[in-house]
Amino acid sequence: MMGPAHSLSGAMAWLGVGAAAAWADHAMPWPVLVAGTLICAGAALAPDLDQKSATISRAFGPISKLLAGLIDKISERVYNATRGRKDRRRTGGHRTLTHTWIWAVLIGAGFSFAAITWGRWAVLIILFIHMVLAVEGLLWRMARVSSDVLVWLLGATSAWLLAGVLDQPGNGSDWLFDGEPYLWLGLPIILGSIVHTLGDSLTISGCPMLWPLPIAGRRWYPIGPPRFMRFRAGAWVENRVLMPAFMILGAAGGVGAVVMGA
């Protein structure tokens, strides 16, 4: 799928988690619901860091472009080193390592570790990265006609304000993990990455999300529905069916999280 659809699906997913958490008597304070929704929307773009033309690869200028090239090379090498007997050799790493659930868990765990180890400044950096990506994904029309500096300023301002609110007692810095402030930050990051892989699995190429499990002689088996149910990225199904559905389901999840958590 394309960036806007990925971001919408990430936002929808966290709002759904908010409703489920409220139903399970672990309601999210509203700052966690808001911050998690934006983080998840941003994280849903992150797996495409293995592609230089992707939104995330352009989001932070030369730094993200350089990182995208590095991730592409690493992904290519991991793929070729671990491919099964029916996996063809590749010269690019797109939709390989960063599109697996193992990567999603490791990245989320890494961000959580950084947050609880280095405290406020790590939290601010994590929030800044994902706020910029959320702007790029959710407000993509405005982001494309705006300058990168304005997008970064909006991301930095949002990160500073959210961190300030979350730091206040009772506002959810230790939501779900009593005594461990910001340990939960990794959850929307993991969820966003997983939702991305699920979205890509609906496209023609599928997604090898279950690597390294061997399936039909392949370790990079492209998981997805039957061929007749798949579509090309950016096709009308994505724009006219899935994106409106993500908006409706996200709104329903948000209402559920607020009403049941009240």
Side-chain angles (χ1 to χ4, degrees):
M1 292 196 297
M2 305 300 286
H6 279 309
S7 280
L8 271 176
S9 68
M12 173 204 70
W14 188 255
L15 289 168
V17 168
W23 179 80
D25 202 26
H26 288 286
M28 296 178 185
W30 71 264
V32 174
L33 185 66
V34 172
T37 298
L38 294 173
I39 292 171
C40 201
L45 296 178
D48 278 341
L49 191 56
D50 60 3
Q51 186 180 31
K52 290 184 179 180
S53 62
T55 300
I56 184 175
S57 304
R58 304 189 306 268
F60 299 96
I63 294 175
S64 53
K65 287 184 178 179
L66 181 64
L67 185 58
L70 178 62
I71 295 295
D72 177 45
K73 292 298 182 184
I74 292 173
S75 298
E76 177 190 335
R77 293 190 178 185
V78 171
Y79 172 90
N80 287 324
T82 63
R83 63 192 178 97
R85 57 186 176 83
K86 291 187 178 181
D87 289 312
R88 295 181 179 179
R89 192 171 188 84
R90 292 186 55 161
T91 56
H94 182 47
R95 283 206 189 183
T96 55
L97 181 61
T98 62
H99 286 66
T100 65
W101 290 11
I102 288 178
W103 174 273
V105 172
L106 289 177
I107 290 298
F111 276 119
S112 281
F113 176 80
I116 63 177
T117 302
W118 292 295
R120 179 175 175 80
W121 286 107
V123 171
L124 283 170
I125 292 171
I126 293 168
L127 287 173
F128 169 70
I129 291 170
H130 291 90
M131 293 308 105
V132 169
L133 293 177
V135 171
E136 292 280 2
L138 297 176
L139 303 177
W140 65 278
R141 291 185 186 276
M142 288 181 279
R144 287 187 180 180
V145 299
S146 179
S147 70
D148 287 341
V149 175
L150 286 177
V151 173
W152 298 340
L153 285 173
L154 180 56
T157 303
S158 301
W160 186 268
L161 292 174
L162 282 172
V165 173
L166 285 166
D167 278 342
Q168 298 300 314
N171 277 358
S173 64
D174 60 350
W175 172 74
L176 201 62
F177 301 99
D178 291 338
E180 293 291 349
Y182 297 110
L183 182 58
W184 64 268
L185 274 182
L187 297 180
I189 294 171
I190 293 172
L191 181 61
S193 293
I194 289 177
V195 169
H196 180 110
T197 63
L198 290 172
D200 278 353
S201 73
L202 299 176
T203 62
I204 290 175
S205 299
C207 193
M209 64 183 79
L210 297 182
W211 172 83
L213 295 178
I215 301 174
R218 303 179 65 178
R219 290 194 180 277
W220 296 92
Y221 187 87
I223 302 294
R227 289 280 177 180
F228 73 90
M229 296 177 64
R230 302 187 191 188
F231 56 86
R232 293 188 182 278
W236 68 270
V237 175
E238 180 178 332
N239 297 322
R240 299 181 185 178
V241 177
L242 292 181
M243 289 181 67
F246 295 155
M247 292 180 190
I248 294 170
L249 291 173
V255 171
V258 172
V259 171
M260 288 188 288

